[in-house]
């Protein structure tokens, strides 16, 4: 079941490659939030503890509600509903994304053979794919909000990575991590609000004032 | 935490200054006490502890912080008007929050918690960096926030790999520095290598190692002078400590030579990038930011070389914080008088701002490693370490790069000091009869620079004992 959810996670990355609308990006974040919460719940299903329930609830609250609602608010406030209109669907981006997903599973398989420590190949592959896909989105899309979404996808990949390598952490630290993530997105949102007054297009190409 | 909450509650800038001053003085006294008396104020078994390494970095933090607090009223007095009202109100609470976040990084012993508090240091800086509320400062904030946060993702991967290396050796409740160093020889070397690579890459954005330095350079050069001093004088050191927490474990294993090579490589690369930009820089605050890239590179090389060079690297951390504080304070005076960061716009400096010119020149000689200042001695220790370890190629490269930086920086600084006055008489600071008087910023600058001389002359036993104890924890016996 964990493998099925992580493969679904990879499918959301493919959807990311064929979409340029910001509303679709938010939907992807919600879907990924639900999937990583599901993976977390299943990973610790046989080892019930209230701390695992608290962490899963934290994932659901922060990743599927607080952050998507906040990003939707930014989109509405900054009137960015049309999304990355200058960059339409491009098959090259889809090919790159697919290559990252395939490459991530090959790398995961290779890594699992390198170490005596047991590693879950499929969640680890999905985690690497998520981190690579977030990075690709940041590099290929110029809209600043797309960069924030890319960053959040990297964070989702990171969460899967922790599950993939079966790293157990204190629930307090995991919750503090979510709080950090939320504050970070909140700060980025505030910065974006201010950026809009100076850079109406909200694109990274405009941020060249500090170059020498 | 208490003064952060109080400063956020009260709106009076004067009252908040008093609170911040109390926090700074108390912090400095407590840090000195912990270093001298070798005391850990936290109960055993907690995830917080003050070890010699933490106590040394606490001194760097609190010393820089207290100097910045003394400098702040003069700075805020100049920042009048509705434009700065919100920034002025946020200034002291943010300063207290900065102290809290950095202190937590220095005392936290649990690796995953270290990542959480590293994020806090980034948040604490945002209101301080955005003080001027200009287009440039906003761009700098965005880039810093984004690059450093991406870097911290890598750091988290490093922490995960470190936990993997300890699989079956220590459980997650024992994922603290003490347990990890105790278990170091039994850790999986492959995952340990991977952990160190990711930690180094992840922290590079915060430390300012090339090629992850641009966000940090932009932020430092566009922040107000006291914030620039904090970033160059203490924040980079705090991030360096986070890296040393990984090195502490790695240094006791067979992975140590690999980590040392990596640190030398990161240091040299930063050194080269700084040397190139030092020749190209047209902005004096940016020049100072690149000087930080250079000095953190020197420190990384010192740690990588090991032996007596490690002692040099630790001293260099301390002395670099002194010099950067003085330089950024003077850069603030220059910006106030000329309303520009352009090197070419600084003319007639010795006539218009004689005291600032004097301290600026003194700090310039200090940071370039001229005797009898502290950086001269720390660099000698690092060079001695290279000779002892037989790294002649590194010694030659190090000296060549040092020479390049010396010439590059001298071109800019001497131009600023020697260009005759060409600005119109109506420009700020040029009013008839105006002559800059000696003020607190000059006293603080001179104090910060001169302080390194008695430290190297008398070599206080409490400090040097602590440094040797730190070296022992990093696998070097002397």
């Amino acid at each position: 079941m964990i493998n099925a959810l992580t493969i679904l996670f990879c499918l959301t990355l493919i959807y990311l490659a064929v979409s340029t609308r910001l509303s679709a990006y938010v939907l992807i974040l919600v879907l990924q939030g639900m999937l990583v919460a599901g993976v977390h719940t299943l990973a610790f299903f046989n080892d019930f503890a209230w701390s695992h329930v608290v962490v899963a609830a934290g994932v659901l609250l922060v990743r599927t509600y607080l952050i998507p609602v906040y990003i939707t608010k930014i989109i509405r406030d900054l009137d960015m509903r049309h999304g990355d209109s200058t960059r339409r669907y491009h098959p090259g981006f889809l090919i790159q994304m697919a290559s990252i997903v395939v490459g991530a599973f090959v790398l995961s398989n290779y890594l699992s053979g390198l170490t005596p420590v047991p590693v879950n190949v499929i969640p680890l592959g999905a985690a690497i794919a998520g981190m690579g896909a977030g990075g690709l989105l940041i590099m290929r899309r110029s809209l600043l909000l797309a960069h924030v979404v890319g960053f959040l996808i990297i964070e989702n990949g990171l969460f899967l990575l922790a599950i993939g390598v079966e790293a157990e952490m204190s629930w307090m630290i995991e919750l503090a991590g979510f709080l950090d993530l939320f504050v970070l997105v909140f700060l980025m949102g505030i910065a974006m609000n201010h950026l809009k007054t100076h850079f109406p297009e909200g694109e990274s190409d405009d941020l060249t004032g500090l170059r020498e | 935490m208490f003064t952060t909450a109080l400063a956020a509650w009260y709106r009076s800038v004067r009252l908040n200054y008093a609170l911040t001053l109390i926090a700074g003085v108390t912090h400095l006294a407590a840090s000195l006490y912990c270093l001298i008396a070798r005391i850990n104020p936290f109960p055993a078994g907690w995830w917080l502890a003050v070890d010699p390494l933490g106590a040394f970095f606490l001194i760097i933090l609190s010393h820089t912080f207290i100097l910045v607090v003394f400098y702040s009223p003069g700075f805020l007095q100049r920042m009048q008007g509705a434009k700065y009202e919100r920034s002025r109100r946020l200034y002291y609470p943010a300063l207290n929050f900065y102290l809290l976040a950095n202190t937590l990084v220095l005392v936290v012993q649990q690796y995953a918690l270290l990542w959480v508090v590293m994020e806090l240091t980034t948040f604490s800086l945002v209101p301080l960096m955005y003080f001027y509320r200009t287009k440039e400062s906003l761009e700098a904030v965005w880039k810093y926030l984004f690059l450093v946060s991406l870097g911290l993702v890598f750091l988290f991967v490093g922490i995960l790999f470190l936990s993997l290396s300890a699989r079956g050796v220590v459980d997650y409740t024992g994922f603290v520095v003490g347990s990890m160093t105790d278990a170091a020889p039994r850790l999986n070397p492959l995952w340990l290598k991977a952990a160190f690579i990711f930690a180094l890459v992840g922290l590079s954005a915060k430390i300012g190692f090339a090629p992850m330095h641009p966000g940090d350079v932009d932020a430092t050069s566009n922040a107000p002078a006291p914030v620039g001093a904090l970033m160059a004088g203490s924040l980079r050191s705090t991030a360096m400590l986070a890296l040393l927490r990984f090195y502490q474990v790695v240094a006791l294993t067979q992975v140590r030579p690999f980590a040392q090579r990596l640190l030398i490589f990161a240091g040299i690369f930063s050194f080269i990038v700084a040397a190139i930009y030092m020749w190209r820089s047209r902005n004096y605050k940016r020049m100072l930011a690149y000087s930080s890239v250079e000095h953190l590179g020197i420190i990384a090389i010192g740690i990588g070389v090991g032996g007596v060079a490690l002692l040099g690297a630790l001293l260099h951390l301390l002395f670099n914080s002194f010099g950067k504080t003085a330089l950024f304070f003077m850069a603030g005076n220059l910006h106030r008088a000329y309303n520009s960061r352009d090197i070419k716009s600084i003319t007639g400096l010795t006539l218009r701002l004689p005291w600032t010119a004097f301290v600026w020149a003194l700090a310039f000689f200090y940071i370039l490693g001229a005797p009898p200042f502290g950086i001269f001695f720390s660099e000698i220790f690092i060079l001695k370490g290279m000779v002892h370890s037989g790294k002649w190629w590194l010694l030659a490269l190090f000296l060549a790069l040092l020479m390049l930086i010396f010439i590059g920086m001298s071109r800019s600084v001497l131009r600023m000091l020697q260009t005759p006055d060409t600005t119109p008489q109506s420009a700020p600071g040029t009013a008839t009869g105006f002559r800059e008087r000696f003020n607190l910023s000059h006293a603080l600058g001179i104090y910060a620079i001169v302080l390194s001389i008695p430290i190297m002359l008398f070599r206080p036993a409490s400090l040097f004992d602590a440094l040797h104890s730190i070296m022992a924890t990093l696998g070097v016996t002397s």
Side-chain angles (χ1 to χ4, degrees):
Chain A
M1 191 63 180
I2 289 180
N3 290 349
L5 291 185
T6 48
I7 287 168
L8 277 177
F9 178 85
C10 292
L11 289 180
T12 63
L13 301 178
I14 301 295
Y15 179 39
L16 181 75
V18 294
S19 177
T20 55
R21 293 186 70 86
L22 291 175
S23 55
Y25 288 172
V26 176
L27 178 66
I28 288 167
L29 287 180
V30 173
L31 284 173
Q32 289 192 350
M34 285 157 70
L35 290 169
V36 294
V39 170
H40 181 272
T41 310
L42 290 170
F44 297 105
F45 198 71
N46 295 326
D47 177 27
F48 179 81
W50 282 108
S51 57
H52 296 148
V53 179
V54 172
V55 172
V59 174
L60 274 175
L61 180 70
V62 175
R63 289 181 196 258
T64 67
Y65 182 72
L66 290 179
I67 290 175
V69 164
Y70 184 59
I71 290 181
T72 308
K73 185 179 177 302
I74 295 172
I75 294 170
R76 214 176 30 239
D77 290 352
L78 302 184
D79 195 21
M80 298 167 90
R81 265 164 268 194
H82 300 296
D84 217 347
S85 54
T86 53
R87 289 178 179 54
R88 290 183 186 159
Y89 161 69
H90 197 277
F93 189 46
L94 178 62
I95 292 166
Q96 285 168 358
M97 191 66 86
S99 309
I100 280 183
V101 173
V102 172
F105 280 99
V106 172
L107 180 65
S108 169
N109 190 44
Y110 173 72
L111 284 176
S112 65
L114 271 183
T115 167
V117 180
V119 167
N120 297 335
V121 177
I122 293 180
L124 181 63
I128 298 170
M131 293 170 76
L136 186 67
L137 189 72
I138 291 170
M139 285 190 285
R140 289 295 305 269
R141 296 282 186 249
S142 59
L143 207 62
L144 292 174
L145 195 65
H147 290 190
V148 178
V149 172
F151 178 77
L152 288 166
I153 290 169
I154 292 176
E155 285 275 352
N156 285 337
L158 198 63
F159 191 79
L160 277 184
L161 184 70
I163 293 169
V165 299
E166 294 177 5
E168 200 177 348
M169 301 236 179
S170 161
W171 63 275
M172 279 189 297
I173 291 170
E174 297 222 30
L175 287 186
F178 295 144
L179 192 66
D180 264 1
L181 181 66
F182 182 66
V183 174
L184 184 69
V185 174
F186 184 65
L187 283 176
M188 283 178 175
I190 293 174
M192 282 198 64
N193 262 309
H194 288 271
L195 276 166
K196 190 74 181 173
T197 58
H198 295 296
F199 310 99
E201 298 299 318
E203 298 210 358
S204 59
D205 298 345
D206 301 331
L207 302 181
T208 54
L210 303 178
R211 276 191 197 154
E212 269 205 304
Chain B
M1 199 184 288
F2 183 63
T3 52
T4 305
L6 279 180
W9 180 263
Y10 292 118
R11 290 197 158 207
S12 157
V13 173
R14 193 175 284 229
L15 187 64
N16 281 347
Y17 169 66
L19 282 170
T20 312
L21 191 60
I22 292 167
V25 171
T26 315
H27 196 280
L28 182 61
S31 305
L32 280 169
Y33 182 63
C34 286
L35 185 85
I36 294 167
R38 302 273 186 99
I39 278 188
N40 171 25
F42 299 100
W46 273 36
W47 282 350
L48 306 178
V50 180
D51 55 356
L53 188 62
F56 175 67
F57 280 81
L58 277 172
I59 297 283
I60 295 176
L61 169 67
S62 46
H63 186 261
T64 311
F65 184 82
I66 199 78
L67 292 182
V68 167
V69 174
F70 281 130
Y71 180 86
S72 294
F75 165 73
L76 289 182
Q77 206 172 17
R78 300 196 295 266
M79 300 294 137
Q80 296 294 344
K83 187 185 168 190
Y84 299 117
E85 197 46 49
R86 274 189 82 182
S87 299
R88 275 165 54 88
R89 221 176 48 230
L90 278 172
Y91 184 80
Y92 285 118
L95 217 54
N96 280 284
F97 184 40
Y98 173 87
L99 183 67
L100 172 69
N102 278 266
T103 306
L104 282 173
V105 172
L106 303 181
V107 299
V108 155
Q109 300 285 312
Q110 215 274 3
Y111 284 96
L113 197 56
L114 182 70
W115 177 74
V116 175
V117 291
M118 278 303 291
E119 286 266 29
L120 279 188
T121 60
T122 311
F123 304 154
S124 71
L125 264 178
V126 170
L128 293 169
M129 283 195 299
Y130 190 46
F131 188 93
Y132 291 131
R133 293 175 182 258
T134 58
K135 194 174 164 180
E136 288 77 21
S137 60
L138 187 60
E139 186 179 332
V141 166
W142 176 265
K143 286 180 176 172
Y144 184 79
L145 205 58
F146 206 81
L147 273 175
V148 168
S149 303
L150 272 181
L152 291 183
V153 168
F154 281 89
L155 175 66
F156 192 77
V157 176
I159 291 170
L160 285 181
F161 287 169
L162 188 67
S163 78
L164 263 187
S165 75
R167 176 78 54 83
V169 181
V170 293
D171 68 351
Y172 80 98
T173 52
F175 196 37
V176 292
V177 177
S179 307
M180 292 296 282
T181 48
D182 289 345
R186 288 177 289 140
L187 300 179
N188 182 312
L190 183 76
W191 287 114
L192 206 53
K193 269 186 190 174
F196 192 76
I197 293 172
F198 275 92
L200 178 65
V201 173
L203 286 163
S204 288
K206 202 131 189 152
I207 297 174
F209 286 152
M212 300 282 279
H213 65 287
D216 194 62
V217 167
D218 287 344
T220 315
S221 54
N222 285 284
V227 181
L230 270 185
M231 291 179 76
S234 68
L235 184 70
R236 287 162 187 258
S237 309
T238 302
M240 186 54 108
L241 175 103
L243 185 62
L244 286 177
R245 291 291 185 210
F246 282 81
Y247 187 72
Q248 240 179 309
V249 178
V250 169
L252 306 174
T253 68
Q254 65 193 70
V255 179
R256 183 186 171 157
F258 170 80
Q260 286 180 311
R261 279 198 299 274
L262 219 55
L263 281 167
I264 291 174
F265 176 76
I268 289 176
F269 193 52
S270 304
F271 216 168
I272 292 171
V273 168
I276 293 168
Y277 277 91
M278 212 62 97
W279 279 75
R280 287 179 49 188
S281 196
R282 296 186 296 265
N283 174 328
Y284 56 85
K285 278 185 94 174
R286 224 173 157 77
M287 180 181 76
L288 296 186
Y290 275 107
S291 170
S292 290
V293 174
E294 172 214 345
H295 285 280
L296 267 298
I298 292 176
I299 291 159
I301 292 171
I303 299 168
V305 170
V308 72
L310 180 60
L311 176 67
L314 293 170
L315 285 169
H316 206 88
L317 269 165
L318 183 69
F319 296 147
N320 177 50
S321 85
F322 294 173
K324 285 291 146 50
T325 311
L327 280 164
F328 272 96
F329 286 173
M330 292 311 106
N333 290 355
L334 291 173
H335 190 243
R336 173 196 174 195
Y338 291 88
N339 200 23
S340 169
R341 294 184 186 124
D342 192 352
I343 289 170
K344 282 185 186 165
S345 67
I346 309 294
T347 56
L349 181 59
T350 47
L351 284 175
R352 289 174 64 181
L353 306 172
W355 280 106
T356 297
F358 171 69
V359 183
W360 180 254
L362 204 64
F364 157 69
F365 284 115
Y366 175 96
I367 213 71
L368 285 177
F373 301 119
I375 284 193
F376 169 75
F377 294 100
S378 58
E379 285 181 354
I380 290 287
F381 280 132
I382 293 171
L383 292 170
K384 205 171 149 186
M386 288 176 197
V387 173
H388 283 183
S389 59
K391 291 187 170 66
W392 297 103
W393 64 271
L394 184 61
L395 181 79
L397 188 62
F398 187 91
L399 288 173
L401 287 169
L402 216 53
M403 182 65 79
L404 263 179
I405 286 178
F406 179 81
I407 299 168
M409 205 170 171
S410 302
R411 280 171 70 225
S412 305
V413 173
L414 293 178
R415 181 195 179 110
M416 289 166 78
L417 289 168
Q418 292 177 342
T419 310
D421 204 351
T422 54
T423 46
Q425 286 300 302
S426 58
T430 53
T432 314
F434 173 85
R435 190 167 173 85
E436 184 195 37
R437 289 193 183 147
F438 185 80
N439 61 37
L440 186 63
S441 71
H442 304 124
L444 292 172
I446 292 171
Y447 157 77
I449 294 163
V450 173
L451 181 62
S452 67
I453 301 174
I455 290 178
M456 287 316 294
L457 211 60
F458 301 112
R459 302 198 179 185
S462 49
L463 175 66
F464 279 80
D465 285 351
L467 290 176
H468 286 117
S469 158
I470 292 168
M471 288 168 72
T473 61
L474 297 175
V476 175
T477 46
S478 55

